[in-house]
Structures are given as structure tokens and as C-alpha cells.
Amino acid sequence: MSKLLLGLVWAIVAACVIFIVALPINLQTHLIAGAIVLTMMMTLKLLRPGGTWRLIALALGTAIVLRYVYWRTTSTIPPVSQLENFIPGLLLYLAEMYSVFMLALSLFIVAKPLPSRAASPIDDADLPFVDVFIPSYNEEPALLADTIAAAKAMDYPQDRLTVWLLDDGGTVQKRNAVNIIEAQAAGERHEELKQLCADLGANYLTRERNEHAKAGNLNNGLANSTGQLVAVFDADHAPARSFLRETVGYFAEDPRLFLVQTPHFFLNPDPLERNLKTFDTMPSENEMFYGIIQRGLDKWNASFFCGSAAVLRREALEETDGFSGISITEDCETAVELHSRGWNSVYVDKPLIAGLQPATFASFIGQRSRWAQGMMQILRFRFPPLKRGLSLPQRLCYMSSTLFWLFPFPRTIFLFAPLFYLFFDLQIFTASGGEFLAYTLSYMVVNLMMQNYLYGRFRWPWISELYEYIQTVHLLPAVVSVMLNPRKPTFKVTAKDESITISRLSELSRPFFVIFAVLLVGVAVSAWRIYAEPWKSDVTLVVGGWNLLNLILAGCALGVVSERRQRTATRRVKVNRRCEFGHDGLWLPAMIEDVSVNGARIKVHGRKASELIALGQANIRFATLSGGEPATLPVNIRNSEKEGDGVAVGCQYMRSAPEHHRAVADLIFANADQWTEFQQSRRRNLGVVVGTLWFLRLALFQTWRGLVYLVRGSGRSPEKTQNSMSSGARA
């Protein structure tokens, strides 16, 4: 009976969709149909936000989108005889059709993503042998030490676990470089990291030449190791103790499984989160990909390797002669090839590593340029839509993943299209102001509603548009470059563990201020044209409103490129672990309240706390999560203050021995649950209306802040004023 009812509901919805799309092009009818659909979508959102009802709401929204596409295609494109209007009009139309096509792919992938599932436990005697690869190029030894220590501390039989540091910064080629200073630095790095690995119980491995970048480095690791499985961690991605326990079991269940991928969780904010101060309150950019999209890809057996935080089967890699190295995104390329050969993948939706992401805007753009160029290379050399061996759903999934990086083209067109009318009076959209407003506004609102249905808790309204805009300005030439010369891009390591000692404008900020100024002139021209040409005021109002929306986005971007001062590279993680705080036999009870990779905040109890603090140095002693001997970590006391019945002490770690790195790894990286809890604390659905108002308030403040940075220069920032308005920025 329930199946019959469900079938009847689907039949009714399908009939409604066909009816709405096929309605005669009539403005009043369209407005009524759009209002009904929006009302139904909002009602379903409030009453039945999940399951089949979610799919019904998305289907109704799709009807409005298709109706808009029909209207745009049949009624709005300028005639070919007017080339000055037709060419920009066609470009705008193609940009919109790209957006609709990507929306369709998104609906296919994530309309009903696969729920998380746990692997069956395996007895220790049956666990596979695992090689852990940590590829490195120019990272600092201290950062590598934390990652190695965390990898060695994973809950896994030590006789079945081998950790490898794959050092591409100390190759024979680099140690014999013509430049004596570079050769000497490479030699010193080589010896230092060899000793570090020996101290921490890891294997050090380098190679003759730096060939094929990260893929070549990983393949050198494969050639010198024998484990059945290979776990890959970036140099700044430290795993939790449970990483292998929660991943290797899937390989026993499926002999054709080549990949288990887990999310990338970051301890530090990206430039947008740091400069807009949203890191603690808003879901991170990567959470939409790892929280929704990868789960959707997993449903179609298309979840792909993301370069780190993953386990791969050696047998599968040997079938393709190791990691693919044609593109500079060897991870996704390797997954495409193995999926096409009939191998399977699994995505585990739980953060099991913690890492660092680019802190400066320049490093952020450098990383995204590499991703964009690498995906374009995959599209050019592997061409997933016609890749033999891929299933149809896999083709669609890889199309979505690669074609997404074409967004700089439509985003640029959307940015400047209103100016063609405002500045040059070009008619790139043949419709009245009322038609333009009715069809486009209903399409935009429905689109926002559908995005909210798909990603509501993981991506707030207008944030995707902001991320795309801040990348477009510099990614557009990068994408054009790789299209013209697909083999030109080379792998560049993303800078990590950065700190910004003064508030300043990013070195890449100039184009954003120029664009903002041009759009601001567009607002003035809109006002003048409404006054001077009242007979065209309806069209001018609509186009001017479009330009104003672009101005709001551009203004918010000024805040993104206005770099806030931040001395520490990572945020503190709350831990609440008991410890002892002492020196020279005097030990007092204490509580570790929060930690970072560099220091900790400890609340010390006892009358003699002031005596210890006066020494400037102390030790903290705590039980490790592995259950072994208590760890002792020396610290420098940086500051202290009276707090209730104790003293809160700010400490900096003093790492001088291998056990100190193990202690730090146990403090911050061992427990994966704390990362899940932090992510969950940020995930809430603001809704379209509240989210839009929040973004508008954020954009207005960040526009002001960016302009103040521009006027004051790089040495000072409006922090005092910002503090008084922080509620608006954080709301």
C-alpha cells in the first residue's frame, strides 16, 4: 500500500512538473505558478525536510528552473543580425546554461547522498600490513615531527605498520645542485630528517631526481615498500589514533576496493574565514565537499582520492604502474584510471586527520590555481565523459568534479554583463523589465531554495558565490593558460604554517579594488539613467539591481583580501584533560583546557602555583590516550592570570626530544571525536531569508573594513572599530 501511495505521489509531482514547464509563456501565469511552487517548497522544508519529500521539493524547483531555461532560450536572445548585442548576449546565455547544467549534475549526485557506514572489525592477527607515506618537499622538521609521531602512535599492531617519510627536498639532485647554498641546505635537511626519522622510529627515503613531483615521490615509496595497503598523509596532516582501525576493515569486505577516503579537517581558518572572522561560527568551505558531495559521489562509486587522509590497495596501484603523473592533481587522476578498470572506492564521513590550510590569500590562490589547472589537465588528457570502463553515473560524477573548475568564465560574465547595458546601452537580454524581474527573480529564489535543501547546514546563502568570486579574479588566467598549453603547469607545494605579523592588504588585492570601483561607477550610471531615461527605467532598475548585487559581493571580497594580523598559525582545540604541572619535584594538580600545535592553556590549582609560574619554565605530565607511561612535556610560561580558584597559564612547548613530539601528537591529534564535535557546533541551517540578511550585514561591514585598510595602508587596521561592530560581523 505504501509503495502504491508513493507511486501515486510521484505521478502527481511528475504531472505538475510537466504542466509547469509546458505552460504558455505568460507573465501572470508564471508568477502564480512560481508562487505556488515556492510556497510548496517552503512548506515541505518546514514539515518534511528529508527523505522522499525532499526529492519532491527539488523536483518542483527543477520545474521552475526548466521553465526559466525555456523562456531564456525562446524569448530573450538578441537577433544574430545585431552582432554587438548578440555576441555578449550569447555569452551570458551560455554562462547561465553552464550554471543550470552544473545544478543538474549536483541534483543527480547529492539529491540523496549515501549515509555513513562503518566497516566490520578485524582481529589483530588478520590485519593487513600497512605502509604510511608522508611525502615532503620543503616543510619544517618540527611540522614533520608532529605528523610522524602521530602516524607512529596510531592504534595498530606495530609489526604491521611502517611509517615512511618520503623526502623530495633532500634528493641527490638537490644535494648536488649548481647553486652551492641550495645544495648545502638540501644536504643539511637530508641529514636532519634522517636523524629525526631514526629518533621517531620511521623510515627515511629520498630519491635520485625530482621527477613527476608528488606522484613520482609516492611511486618511489611504492618501489621501496611491500605493505598490502598504503596510507597517504600530507606533511601537515596528522592522523588520529583510530585512523587505520576505522578504514582498513573495508578492504576485507571488498577485494576490488582500491580506496578508502576520509575528510580533510583543518585546524586553522582559510583567508576568508580568518579575515571575516567566521571560522568558529560558520561551516568551512571544505565541509560542503566532504560532508555532502563526497557522500553523493560515494553513492555512485565515484568518491575519489584527495591526495591525503586516504588508504589505497597496493595491488590496484600496481595495475596502473603506481600513481598517475600526467596532471598536477595526481590524486583525482589516479582515481579516474582505477575506477575505469573496475576498482571500487569508499568514503568514510568522519574527520580522522587534522591539518593546515593556506593562511594567506596568495597561498590560497596558489593552491586553487593548481587544483583548477590539474582538473583541466584531467579533462584534456583523460576526458572522463568518454573514458572507457566508467559507468554512466561515474562519468557524470567526474564531469561535475572537473567542469566545476570552469566557473571563472561564467562568474566573470555575470560580473560584467550588467555593465554592457549600463555603460554601452547594449541590449544583451531582449525582455521588458517586468519579464526580466519576474522570471529571473523566481529562478534565483528557487535556486537559493534548492541550494538550501542540498547544502543548508554545510553552506550558508551567498558564501559559494563569494568563494567563487574571490578565486575567479586570479583563476581565470590560470585556467586559460592550461587550456592553451595543457602541459605547461608544474606542481607547486602550497605554503602552510604561515603567520601574519601585521594587518595588511594582500599582494593580490589590487584587482579587487579596481573591480569594486568600476561597479560603484555602474551604480552611479544606473541612477543617472533612471533620471535621464525614464521610459527605460524598468529595465535600468533591474540591471542596476543586478549590478548592485555584484557590488555587494565585490565589497565583501575587500574584507577577504584585507589580511588580519594573526601571530599563530592554528587555532586552539578544547581538550579538558587532567594533568600535573610542576618543576623539580613540586607537582600541582592542573587541567589542560585547550591546545594548539605550538602551545597550551593550563589551569593550575594550589597555593604554590605562583612559585612555579615565577620560574618561567615548567613541565606538564599527563596520561596518554594509548594507555602507556605518562608523558612529560617541558613548556615555557608565556603569561598567566588569576581565574576563579586557580591560575590560567599560557604555555609554549619546548620540544627537544622525540618523546616531546609524541606528547604533542597525543595532546592535539590523538582524539578524532573533538574534530567532529567542533564541526557539528558550526553546522546549522540559517535559511534563505535569515542567511541573506546575515550576508548583507557581513558584506557592508567588510566593505568598510577593506576601504579603511586601503586608506591606512599596510601598517595599521581598524581593529578598535571592528571590536565595537563585531556582533554584526559574527552574526
Side-chain angles (χ1 to χ4, degrees):
M1 186 66 181
S2 60
K3 289 185 177 180
L4 180 63
L5 179 61
L6 183 61
L8 180 62
V9 170
W10 274 114
I12 294 172
V13 172
C16 290
V17 169
I18 294 172
F19 173 74
I20 293 170
V21 174
L23 280 173
I25 300 298
N26 177 282
L27 187 60
Q28 184 177 2
T29 306
H30 174 79
L31 287 174
I32 294 172
I36 293 173
V37 167
L38 282 174
T39 301
M40 292 178 65
M41 290 181 70
M42 288 187 287
T43 303
L44 289 173
K45 180 69 174 175
L46 293 173
L47 301 179
R48 301 276 186 174
T52 302
W53 295 104
R54 163 187 159 110
L55 298 181
I56 291 173
L58 292 173
L60 291 171
T62 301
I64 295 297
V65 172
L66 292 176
R67 182 160 173 75
Y68 174 78
V69 170
Y70 177 71
W71 174 73
R72 278 289 280 127
T73 305
T74 60
S75 305
T76 65
I77 301 176
V80 180
S81 58
Q82 301 174 8
L83 285 179
E84 72 281 6
N85 294 327
F86 176 75
I87 293 175
L90 181 63
L91 290 175
L92 177 60
Y93 172 79
L94 292 176
E96 290 187 75
M97 293 307 102
Y98 165 86
S99 298
V100 171
F101 180 65
M102 295 306 295
L103 174 62
L105 290 177
S106 296
L107 287 171
F108 172 77
I109 294 169
V110 304
K112 197 171 183 180
L114 198 66
S116 299
R117 59 197 188 279
S120 302
I122 305 177
D123 293 335
D124 283 9
D126 298 325
L127 287 171
F129 290 88
V130 179
D131 288 308
V132 175
F133 290 170
I134 304 172
S136 171
Y137 184 72
N138 58 2
E139 294 82 6
E140 291 296 321
L143 185 147
L144 293 170
D146 289 341
T147 304
I148 295 171
K152 286 291 295 181
M154 286 190 290
D155 181 16
Y156 206 77
Q158 290 301 300
D159 61 337
R160 294 173 180 264
L161 175 67
T162 307
V163 177
W164 298 82
L165 177 63
L166 308 180
D167 180 29
D168 249 10
T171 59
V172 174
Q173 177 186 358
K174 283 187 165 294
R175 301 202 303 270
N176 293 331
V178 175
N179 187 308
I180 297 176
I181 296 177
E182 292 180 2
Q184 187 176 19
E188 292 174 354
R189 173 187 174 86
H190 175 72
E191 295 300 326
E192 184 176 5
L193 293 185
K194 278 178 61 178
Q195 185 60 51
L196 176 66
C197 289
D199 292 339
L200 293 174
N203 292 354
Y204 176 85
L205 181 66
T206 187
R207 52 184 176 146
E208 289 288 326
R209 301 185 60 80
N210 297 83
E211 296 177 333
H212 304 295
K214 183 179 178 181
N217 195 11
L218 291 171
N219 287 334
N220 185 54
L222 284 174
N224 288 274
S225 59
T226 58
Q228 298 154 280
L229 302 179
V230 173
V232 180
F233 303 116
D234 279 347
D236 58 299
H237 283 187
R241 276 183 49 77
S242 61
F243 181 89
L244 291 177
R245 291 288 184 180
E246 300 198 44
T247 53
V248 299
Y250 295 95
F251 290 94
E253 299 173 2
D254 181 3
R256 293 295 294 172
L257 182 67
F258 84 91
L259 169 72
V260 174
Q261 179 67 56
T262 70
H264 294 183
F265 171 78
F266 298 108
L267 293 168
N268 65 317
D270 67 27
L272 184 147
E273 294 169 320
R274 189 190 72 252
N275 295 326
L276 304 190
K277 287 195 170 182
T278 61
F279 184 64
D280 291 317
T281 55
M282 184 184 75
S284 287
E285 181 201 19
N286 65 302
E287 287 184 53
M288 185 176 86
F289 175 72
Y290 287 111
I292 295 290
I293 296 176
Q294 276 281 41
R295 285 171 49 208
L297 295 173
D298 194 27
K299 178 179 180 179
W300 305 109
N301 190 27
S303 177
F304 59 85
F305 179 36
C306 298
S308 179
V311 185
L312 301 99
R313 191 189 296 269
R314 180 182 294 272
E315 179 187 352
L317 292 170
E318 288 175 345
E319 186 175 310
T320 57
D321 295 325
F323 295 89
S324 301
I326 297 177
S327 74
I328 56 175
T329 48
E330 80 298 325
D331 40 19
C332 184
E333 183 188 348
T334 300
V336 171
E337 186 60 33
L338 287 170
H339 273 135
S340 71
R341 293 172 181 254
W343 290 90
N344 304 320
S345 61
V346 163
Y347 176 67
V348 178
D349 186 24
K350 180 179 180 180
L352 297 171
I353 64 97
L356 300 175
Q357 57 186 332
T360 67
F361 185 71
S363 296
F364 174 82
I365 291 298
Q367 180 192 64
R368 300 312 164 92
S369 295
R370 177 168 62 83
W371 292 356
Q373 291 183 323
M375 286 300 193
M376 290 300 99
Q377 288 178 313
I378 292 174
L379 193 62
R380 167 66 176 80
F381 296 123
R382 300 290 186 181
F383 200 63
L386 298 180
K387 179 72 172 173
R388 181 177 299 176
L390 293 178
S391 66
L392 178 59
Q394 287 176 325
R395 295 172 195 265
L396 295 176
C397 289
Y398 277 112
M399 281 176 64
S400 176
S401 299
T402 52
L403 292 178
F404 166 79
W405 291 98
L406 291 173
F407 74 79
F409 293 99
R411 184 59 59 188
T412 301
I413 293 170
F414 294 148
L415 185 66
F416 293 111
L419 302 180
F420 287 124
Y421 172 80
L422 295 174
F423 289 170
F424 309 112
D425 201 28
L426 297 181
Q427 309 298 315
I428 64 174
F429 207 111
T430 58
S432 68
E435 290 176 323
F436 185 96
L437 183 63
Y439 282 97
T440 304
L441 187 61
S442 61
Y443 163 69
M444 288 180 61
V445 174
V446 165
N447 202 322
L448 283 170
M449 283 289 296
M450 294 174 74
Q451 296 288 344
N452 191 254
Y453 262 99
L454 295 174
Y455 309 114
R457 292 178 58 243
F458 297 85
R459 179 60 55 85
W460 291 355
W462 305 104
I463 293 298
S464 285
E465 286 76 10
L466 179 60
Y467 267 107
E468 288 186 7
Y469 169 66
I470 63 173
Q471 295 176 75
T472 289
V473 175
H474 294 285
L475 258 59
L476 182 63
V479 173
V480 171
S481 173
V482 74
M483 285 180 167
L484 297 176
N485 190 351
R487 298 188 183 276
K488 181 181 178 180
T490 57
F491 190 99
K492 295 179 181 178
V493 177
T494 305
K496 305 285 179 68
D497 200 21
E498 301 168 301
S499 60
I500 299 173
T501 57
I502 60 171
S503 297
R504 60 180 178 84
L505 289 175
S506 168
E507 58 269 36
L508 302 182
S509 64
R510 181 174 296 179
F512 294 92
F513 286 94
V514 173
I515 292 171
F516 180 81
V518 172
L519 295 177
L520 190 61
V521 172
V523 172
V525 172
S526 300
W528 179 83
R529 292 194 62 165
I530 291 171
Y531 170 78
E533 302 171 337
W535 60 91
K536 294 194 295 185
S537 60
D538 58 340
V539 175
T540 306
L541 275 170
V542 172
V543 178
W546 181 2
N547 181 71
L548 181 62
L549 179 60
N550 286 337
L551 182 70
I552 292 171
L553 276 172
C556 196
L558 300 186
V560 177
V561 298
S562 300
E563 308 265 31
R564 292 184 187 272
R565 174 184 178 184
Q566 185 178 33
R567 292 189 180 277
T568 58
T570 62
R571 66 178 290 276
R572 293 190 177 275
V573 179
K574 293 182 179 180
V575 292
N576 292 323
R577 291 175 64 172
R578 295 183 63 178
C579 70
E580 292 181 305
F581 186 85
H583 186 73
D584 286 342
L586 175 59
W587 293 95
L588 300 177
M591 179 72 73
I592 304 173
E593 296 184 333
D594 58 51
V595 295
S596 73
V597 295
N598 298 313
R601 176 183 172 90
I602 303 169
K603 189 170 183 180
V604 184
H605 300 271
R607 290 178 296 177
K608 295 188 176 182
S610 58
E611 297 180 19
L612 288 174
I613 294 171
L615 296 174
Q617 294 184 355
N619 297 282
I620 53 176
R621 187 165 62 192
F622 56 92
T624 62
L625 296 183
S626 62
E629 291 293 321
T632 301
L633 181 63
V635 295
N636 265 327
I637 299 173
R638 306 299 299 273
N639 54 72
S640 64
E641 61 178 332
K642 183 69 176 176
E643 191 175 273
D645 58 348
V647 180
V649 182
C651 303
Q652 182 182 35
Y653 309 137
M654 297 172 60
R655 301 181 180 102
S656 58
E659 57 267 24
H660 299 156
H661 293 290
R662 297 188 187 100
V664 172
D666 187 87
L667 272 179
I668 193 167
F669 300 119
N671 180 17
D673 292 338
Q674 62 193 3
W675 307 329
T676 300
E677 292 169 3
F678 175 66
Q679 285 186 331
Q680 293 297 332
S681 70
R682 299 184 298 187
R683 291 178 181 172
R684 64 187 191 280
N685 191 341
L686 292 185
V688 174
V689 176
V690 175
T692 298
L693 293 174
W694 169 84
F695 182 79
L696 179 61
R697 186 165 54 173
L698 175 74
L700 291 175
F701 173 74
Q702 295 304 328
T703 302
W704 172 85
R705 193 175 71 86
L707 293 174
V708 171
Y709 269 61
L710 178 65
V711 171
R712 294 188 178 182
S714 62
R716 300 176 61 193
S717 66
E719 298 303 324
K720 287 186 178 180
T721 311
Q722 197 280 333
N723 288 337
S724 65
M725 300 180 65
S726 59
S727 59
R730 296 183 185 134

